[in-house]
């Protein structure tokens, strides 16, 4: 009986131990699964919490613009710059200046229209006078006679984008397109609209494809050739050429729009523009303009009388 009782007790002990082991395995299974799932969940949480890359202010299309800037750099290096430098070397300077003045004079009526729309009658009169002088005395604008001392009517840029900005239309997102360069949504759209004015008013020759293609090619090559040194100085040592060009363009456009508004006050402090060297601006502002007449020399100061002896 003792043997049987001991056997029964031993069997009960083994069965109880087996049941406890199975229970522990069943209890530890969810913990093991949770331990395997926890790293991936943690990684997902970290990825969700990780901040996304933000674009610069005013450049909501930065990814697209940077890609287009890279394409432009390649095209400029292998095609646009070599052709523009060849144009500058082959075509004489006097011919290039004549072509530049001719196309600039054709755009003076659009400058006049924007002067009127911006409620600047004095500037509009000067623009009209400049167009009249260069179209007659200047042989259709080939010679820029209006800027000489006899007339003192220099060229002043003005566009539909300036007019829209003067009346409060925001620039919109920054845009960069290959072989077109930097712009904004407002200026790019206004440029397209303004480019259709002359062809709509005078179809021949301004509406002909031959004229429009030749104008775009010649003005583009001339502009690229003349701005080569400036681009080298601006982007040559830049850590981020794209951001540097964007900053320079947006600052220039903001200053232009600010000057077009009636409440704008010109600032003479060179520290207001971070791209301007204050020392350089001060040295450049000191000499008188080339067109101004020289001032008469001041009379010599009379010597002070010698003190009398007591």
């Amino acid at each position: 009986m003792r043997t049987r009782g001991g056997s029964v007790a031993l069997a009960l002990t083994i069965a109880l131990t087996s049941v406890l082991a199975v229970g522990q395995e069943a209890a530890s299974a969810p913990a093991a699964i949770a331990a395997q799932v926890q790293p991936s969940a943690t990684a997902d949480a970290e990825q969700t919490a990780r901040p996304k890359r933000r674009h610069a202010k005013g450049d909501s299309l930065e990814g697209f613009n940077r890609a287009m800037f890279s394409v432009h750099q390649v095209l400029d290096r292998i095609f646009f710059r070599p052709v523009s430098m060849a144009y500058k070397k082959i075509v004489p300077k006097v011919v290039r200046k004549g072509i530049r003045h001719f196309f600039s004079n054709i755009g003076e009526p659009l400058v006049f229209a924007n002067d009127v729309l911006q409620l600047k009658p004095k500037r509009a009169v000067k623009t009209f006078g400049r167009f009249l002088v260069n179209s007659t005395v200047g042989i259709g604008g080939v010679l820029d006679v209006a800027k000489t001392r006899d007339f003192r009517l220099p060229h002043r840029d003005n566009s539909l984008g300036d007019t829209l900005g003067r009346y409060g239309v925001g620039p919109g997102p920054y845009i960069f397109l290959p072989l077109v360069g930097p712009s904004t949504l407002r200026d790019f759209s206004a440029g397209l609209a303004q480019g259709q004015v002359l062809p709509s008013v005078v179809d021949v020759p301004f509406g002909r494809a031959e004229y429009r293609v030749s104008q775009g090619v010649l003005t583009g090559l001339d502009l690229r050739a003349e701005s080569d040194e400036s681009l080298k100085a601006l982007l040559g040592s830049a850590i981020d050429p794209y951001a540097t060009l964007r900053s320079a363009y947006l600052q220039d456009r903001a200053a232009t729009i600010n000057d077009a508004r009636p409440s704008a006050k010109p600032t003479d402090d060179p520290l207001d523009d971070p791209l301007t060297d204050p020392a350089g601006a001060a040295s450049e502002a000191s000499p008188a303009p080339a067109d101004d007449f020289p001032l008469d020399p001041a009379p010599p100061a009379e010597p002070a009388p010698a003190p009398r002896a007591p």
Side-chain angles (χ1 to χ4, degrees):
M1 295 296 295
R2 290 181 181 178
T3 304
R4 180 177 298 180
S7 302
V8 173
L10 181 60
L12 291 175
T13 302
I14 295 174
L16 182 60
T17 304
S18 301
V19 171
L20 292 176
V22 172
Q24 291 178 355
E25 291 179 359
S28 62
I33 296 175
Q36 295 177 358
V37 176
Q38 185 176 2
S40 60
T42 305
D44 294 339
E46 292 178 355
Q47 185 176 2
T48 304
R50 186 180 303 168
K52 296 181 179 180
R53 181 182 178 182
R54 296 181 179 180
H55 56 78
K57 182 179 180 181
D59 191 3
S60 58
L61 305 174
E62 184 172 355
F64 170 80
N65 290 331
R66 284 187 177 272
M68 294 298 100
F69 180 76
S70 300
V71 174
H72 173 80
Q73 292 291 81
V74 174
L75 294 177
D76 183 74
R77 183 173 64 253
I78 66 177
F79 174 74
F80 195 30
R81 184 181 182 276
V83 174
S84 63
M85 292 296 102
Y87 170 78
K88 183 177 182 180
K89 185 177 181 179
I90 296 173
V91 182
K93 184 177 181 179
V94 62
V95 177
R96 288 187 282 110
K97 290 182 65 176
I99 295 174
R100 187 187 314 149
H101 294 158
F102 173 77
F103 287 119
S104 177
N105 187 65
I106 290 176
E108 292 292 349
L110 298 177
V111 176
F112 169 80
N114 285 286
D115 290 340
V116 174
L117 292 176
Q118 295 174 16
L119 305 179
K120 296 181 178 180
K122 294 182 179 179
R123 187 166 176 173
V125 170
K126 292 182 179 180
T127 302
F128 180 78
R130 172 181 169 79
F131 174 72
L132 185 62
V133 169
N134 282 344
S135 299
T136 54
V137 183
I139 315 176
V142 175
L143 302 177
D144 193 357
V145 183
K147 72 175 183 179
T148 60
R149 287 188 176 186
D150 297 333
F151 300 98
R152 296 179 182 272
L153 296 173
H155 172 74
R156 293 183 175 88
D157 289 327
N158 206 348
S159 65
L160 183 58
D162 300 340
T163 302
L164 295 178
R166 179 247 188 271
Y167 289 105
V169 179
Y174 176 78
I175 301 174
F176 189 97
L177 297 176
L179 302 182
V180 175
S183 184
T184 60
L185 181 60
R186 176 196 62 204
D187 295 337
F188 183 73
S189 304
L192 293 178
Q194 181 171 292
Q196 301 300 321
V197 174
L198 285 179
S200 301
V201 176
V202 183
D203 182 56
V204 180
F206 303 118
R208 301 294 297 270
E210 297 83 356
Y211 170 82
R212 306 186 73 171
V213 171
S214 61
Q215 180 192 23
V217 172
L218 293 177
T219 55
L221 291 178
D222 182 73
L223 179 61
R224 178 62 183 87
E226 294 298 323
S227 61
D228 185 66
E229 296 297 331
S230 301
L231 289 175
K232 286 182 179 180
L234 179 65
L235 306 179
S237 59
I239 300 176
D240 188 352
Y242 169 80
T244 301
L245 181 61
R246 177 187 61 195
S247 176
Y249 175 81
L250 293 179
Q251 288 184 40
D252 179 74
R253 290 299 296 150
T256 302
I257 298 301
N258 185 61
D259 292 340
R261 291 174 179 171
S263 60
K265 295 181 180 180
T267 57
D268 297 332
D269 187 3
L271 294 177
D272 292 341
D273 187 0
L275 296 179
T276 303
D277 185 4
S283 62
E284 292 177 0
S286 56
D291 293 339
D292 293 345
F293 295 102
L295 300 177
D296 295 332
E302 297 181 358
R308 296 181 179 179

